[in-house]
Amino acid sequence: AGRLPLAGKHVLITSGPTHEPIDPVRYIANRSSGKQGHALAAAAYAAGARVTLVSGPVTLPAPANVAVIQVESATEMLKAVEAALPADIAIMAAAVADWRMASEGTQKIKKDGSGRPPALELTENPDILATIGHHKSLRPKLLIGFAAETTDLVDNARGKLERKNADWIIANDVSPATGIMGGDANTVRLVSRSGVEDWPQMSKADVARRIIARAAEVLKT
Ligand code: C5P
């Protein structure tokens, strides 16, 4: 039997949304289901890799034979990702919240009777992909990000490739009409410094297998 393509390799994946606490009972979140990230973890394991999956809150079962580290916020996700390095391949599929509360209250925010809503002061979250991309010593050999967009898909993906120092951006159009958010299918483009590949619509599991197969080819060279 031939060796599996990722035997002996460590693959690090982020998946799911992050939850950013507003007060002890409320949070800011987004619509990520974690399906694509979890499918990537399963595909990487099937290809023979040791897999670490850093996941925000999702309702999906943990993929078999994968080390799952559950986190809530972007700050926790960054810490868990850094602790899991080094990795040969990192795939950042999480939909990280862009902002968190500038200061997180320890008490539940109450209506004050004035009819005026509270002003929520936000601050920007760390960019996990960019942090890893610019890491001096621990940048994975192949670093892959996602770009969920509703407009200017390829231009936005190219910008992210540069700013975050990724090798590939998997770009997908998440306009509501596509049904991609939360759905089982995905239509993506692989954007790299050598060009753009349009992939046909396929299941998230097939997208995952194809990304992993391509990643294994890159590691061989
Ligand atoms: O800038 P944008 O959020 O569209 O970038 C998406 C890519 O960057 C995804 O791969 C996502 O996982 C990653 N990202 C991250 N940390 C953030 C924001 C995005 O790792 N704070």
Side-chain angles (χ1 to χ4, degrees), residues 14 92-94 96-98 125-129 145-147 149 160 164:
T14 68
M92 307 282 105
V96 181
D98 289 320
N125 267 330
D127 190 309
I128 299 164
L129 175 55
F146 275 75
E149 306 287 352
K160 280 169 203 184
K164 302 178 189 237

Side-chain angles (χ1 to χ4, degrees), residues 154-202:
V154 171
D155 280 353
N156 278 315
R158 285 210 172 98
K160 280 169 203 184
L161 201 61
E162 294 311 319
R163 273 200 312 284
K164 302 178 189 237
N165 197 33
D167 298 301
W168 300 346
I169 293 287
I170 308 297
N172 54 5
D173 181 343
V174 293
S175 302
T178 64
I180 287 174
M181 290 297 287
D184 290 318
N186 209 350
T187 309
V188 306
R189 293 169 173 197
L190 191 162
V191 180
S192 70
R193 286 185 183 73
S194 47
V196 181
E197 273 178 34
D198 284 8
W199 290 4
Q201 190 193 87
M202 56 186 109

Side-chain angles (χ1 to χ4, degrees), residues 116-140:
R116 283 189 303 273
L120 302 184
E121 197 193 330
L122 303 179
T123 189
E124 205 166 299
N125 267 330
D127 190 309
I128 299 164
L129 175 55
T131 304
I132 301 311
H134 292 100
H135 220 286
K136 292 278 175 284
S137 53
L138 290 174
R139 186 190 184 282

Side-chain angles (χ1 to χ4, degrees), residues 1-9 47-48:
R3 248 165 92 82
L4 288 167
L6 289 181
K9 304 294 182 189

